[in-house]
Amino acid sequence: MKVSIASDHAGFEQKQMLVAHLQGAGHQVIDRGPDSDDRVDYPDFAELVAKDVVSGQAQRGVLVCGTGIGMAIAANKVDGIRAANIVSAEFAALTREHNDANVITVSGRFVSEEENRKIVDTFLSTEFAGGRHAGRVEKIMALEGK
Ligand code: RB5
């Protein structure tokens, strides 16, 4: 799968780890930076990944900051994005099955590398369940521009 990924300084180390993990698993990775842990502003990087996903350059997006929360808030401002801040593999599965999330945001400071690898793997391998969830996702998207 083609995956766009970025972080801020607080998520940099885990972003590097996840890039290597995803490449090792055979995914095509667009690394939108940063290239160091120098202080940056997370909305700038959320925007890059969100735009890759809505333009179709990437099928899914992964964002890492200190908590994952700021990245989620920022990414969800881009029309077409359904970003969820995820702290467990179970939630990663549920946000794909129920919300058809196309971006996840994870914490580089409060969640272990091992858990984040499981979260990202689950996010990429779980399909949207459709059915009763489809109409709800349509209603989420209809909120754009209101
Ligand atoms: C940076 O200090 C921190 O605010 C950021 O990484 C993130 O956790 C914001 O939600």
Side-chain angles (χ1 to χ4, degrees), residues 10 31 34 42 46 48 60 72 103 113 128:
D31 181 353
Y42 58 82
L48 294 174
R60 303 267 171 86
V103 171
E113 293 194 353
F128 177 46

Side-chain angles (χ1 to χ4, degrees), residues 97-141:
E97 289 168 1
H98 291 202
N99 317 123
D100 198 14
N102 48 16
V103 171
I104 53 166
T105 69
V106 297
S107 166
R109 283 185 175 153
F110 299 96
V111 175
S112 70
E113 293 194 353
E114 188 187 354
E115 189 65 34
N116 276 334
R117 280 193 291 271
K118 281 189 211 156
I119 286 169
V120 169
D121 289 347
T122 304
F123 171 61
L124 297 180
S125 62
T126 306
E127 292 300 320
F128 177 46
R132 70 184 189 280
H133 303 293
R136 295 167 185 162
V137 171
E138 278 167 27
K139 286 187 177 186
I140 292 173
M141 301 323 286

Side-chain angles (χ1 to χ4, degrees), residues 28-45:
Q28 264 180 280
V29 180
I30 306 171
D31 181 353
R32 292 297 186 193
D35 335 317
S36 78
D37 63 0
D38 290 352
R39 199 165 292 276
V40 292
D41 295 331
Y42 58 82
D44 298 332
F45 292 87

